Amino acid sequence: MCGRTACSLAADKLRRACAYRDRRGRQRQPEWLRQERYQPSYNKGPQSSGPVLLSRRHLQQDADSSERVLMDMRWGLVPSWFKQDNPSKLQFNTSNCRSDTMLSKSSYKGALLKGKRCVVLADGFYEWQQHSGGKQPYFIYFPQTKDAMDKEMEGDEEWKGWRLLTMAGIFDCWEPPGGGEMLYTYTIITVDASKDVSFIHHRMPAILDGDEAIRKWLDFAEVPTQEAVKLIQPTENIVFHPVSTFVNNIRNNTPECVAPIELGAKKEVKATPSNKGMLGWLKSSQEGSPQKKENDLPKWKSQFIHSPSPKKTSADVLQQWLGKQGQPAAKKHKA
């Protein structure tokens, strides 16, 4: 499943990170709609709002369906047919939509058949592993290149920063019966977990890996539903690391939510020059005024840089990174 995400990039950097090529092969950045509503966060849960990509044609009938826009929508789909005056009265959870029932459940079927497909954006998502001592949270995300750790080009240069996780979603638009502003909401489609993460949880979000998959999912005018749903598959191209139970509380919205820990330790991660830099860099993105410069970026090394098909466990990778830094083992918050 997917019940919590992080999306910490400031609005302008998020837009640059979503650059794409349109039908004519031109390099484009999606236009932000309602950008002022977007709030970066390290700890987003259902009923909060988050950034999604969708085809402009949903909003403008004569637009090129390959053109993309960014919009902040509320997480938890409210079907357009819902008749009550308050969307919070919806009696069932629509934050996730199972791929095997999305074409049969009334909450999603209508929107999906009308092409209301979107891509939900995040740095990554959190998942909790059940064990005898409680639940251990993990942060799960795309493998990152060295460029993502070392630099983020400014201005109109090609984006070299964090590769956003792109999850397949369905959106709908609900109009209050008594009139008022239209409410845009979305759900994240889930599939059986891939082999590498199935030990954490048996479900995972449907991740669209690469711009061609994103193009097909968004371009509802060119790619019919029955073709688009073939994209909904588990992916092995993800990596992960354990994080502190600090993230369990939805009110906690700081870089510590995504900071890696070593399992089995008892105390907070010891401050070192390396992880201080990492946390400082993350914190600057939260503050909404992107001040990260090339020389400010920490050298995260193998902790966040993995081969596309990681063979090591996340704990092994973390320990390797700590060893390279010449630091003692990381420790965690008390549960």
Side-chain angles (χ1 to χ4, degrees):
M1 60 181 293
C2 181
R4 208 79 70 78
T5 66
C7 193
S8 62
L9 287 179
D12 60 333
K13 291 193 174 182
L14 188 75
R15 179 173 182 253
R16 289 178 51 226
C18 293
Y20 69 102
R21 293 194 180 276
D22 65 13
R23 204 186 310 279
R24 298 179 183 179
R26 296 175 297 183
Q27 186 76 8
R28 304 283 296 271
Q29 290 182 7
E31 180 186 358
W32 253 117
L33 303 178
R34 308 193 302 182
Q35 176 181 334
E36 70 283 353
R37 301 188 182 197
Y38 169 64
Q39 294 292 327
S41 174
Y42 292 101
N43 204 347
K44 285 183 177 290
Q47 304 308 312
S48 67
S49 63
V52 305
L53 287 169
L54 65 155
S55 168
R56 183 182 285 279
R57 187 173 289 190
H58 289 296
L59 309 168
Q60 183 182 332
Q61 289 187 352
D62 61 347
D64 182 340
S65 60
S66 72
E67 188 177 346
R68 304 174 191 177
V69 294
L70 264 170
M71 182 183 285
D72 204 52
M73 294 189 187
R74 197 175 85 168
W75 186 1
L77 188 141
V78 178
S80 58
W81 48 257
F82 186 64
K83 299 301 182 185
Q84 296 198 44
D85 59 354
N86 186 343
S88 65
K89 294 179 180 178
L90 195 65
Q91 295 296 308
F92 38 92
N93 186 338
T94 58
S95 56
N96 289 169
C97 163
R98 291 180 61 97
S99 60
D100 51 346
T101 58
M102 62 186 178
L103 282 168
S104 59
K105 285 198 171 182
S106 60
S107 300
Y108 314 116
K109 180 180 178 181
L112 186 55
L113 291 177
K114 290 177 183 176
K116 292 183 177 179
R117 309 191 299 252
C118 64
V119 173
V120 182
L121 303 169
D123 302 341
F125 71 98
Y126 301 100
E127 193 53 83
W128 280 258
Q129 178 195 26
Q130 185 76 49
H131 58 82
S132 58
K135 291 184 178 182
Q136 171 58 50
Y138 286 79
F139 187 57
I140 305 171
Y141 48 98
F142 270 141
Q144 302 296 317
T145 65
K146 188 174 186 299
D147 280 346
M149 302 303 105
D150 287 346
K151 61 184 177 180
E152 287 179 9
M153 302 299 288
E154 298 296 331
D156 295 326
E157 296 272 4
E158 181 182 356
W159 177 253
K160 298 292 187 181
W162 188 268
R163 184 187 176 194
L164 292 171
L165 196 67
T166 43
M167 299 174 284
I170 303 168
F171 77 93
D172 212 342
C173 186
W174 176 79
E175 184 176 4
E181 185 179 10
M182 304 283 275
L183 177 66
Y184 284 86
T185 59
Y186 68 88
T187 186
I188 296 173
I189 299 172
T190 65
V191 294
D192 290 333
S194 60
K195 180 181 176 181
D196 284 349
V197 298
S198 59
F199 80 96
I200 302 174
H201 197 278
H202 66 283
R203 303 289 294 178
M204 68 182 294
I207 295 168
L208 300 166
D209 188 3
D211 201 65
E212 180 64 9
I214 294 172
R215 181 193 68 78
K216 289 181 177 179
W217 185 249
L218 292 180
D219 196 346
F220 69 100
E222 293 292 325
V223 182
T225 303
Q226 295 299 334
E227 187 68 23
V229 296
K230 295 177 183 177
L231 298 165
I232 304 303
Q233 301 286 341
T235 181
E236 298 285 351
N237 188 29
I238 50 174
V239 291
F240 51 87
H241 62 252
V243 295
S244 168
T245 52
F246 180 76
V247 74
N248 292 4
N249 188 333
I250 192 69
R251 292 189 296 272
N252 291 336
N253 175 22
T254 66
E256 283 81 356
C257 290
V258 299
I261 63 163
E262 181 180 328
L263 297 178
K266 295 181 179 179
K267 295 183 180 179
E268 185 176 359
V269 175
K270 183 177 179 179
T272 68
S274 295
N275 61 32
K276 273 186 177 179
M278 178 184 74
L279 296 177
W281 181 79
L282 284 166
K283 188 175 182 181
S284 71
S285 68
Q286 179 195 28
E287 291 167 353
S289 55
Q291 300 297 323
K292 291 173 287 194
K293 305 297 182 183
E294 180 173 343
N295 293 334
D296 295 336
L297 289 166
K299 307 303 180 188
W300 287 358
K301 299 193 177 178
S302 58
Q303 165 198 12
F304 277 106
I305 304 169
H306 307 261
S307 62
S309 299
K311 301 301 181 185
K312 298 182 179 180
T313 67
S314 55
D316 289 339
V317 174
L318 178 61
Q319 194 62 44
Q320 181 187 36
W321 176 77
L322 289 167
K324 284 186 176 183
Q325 303 303 315
Q327 303 296 341
K331 298 179 181 180
K332 64 174 279 185
H333 290 275
K334 291 182 180 179

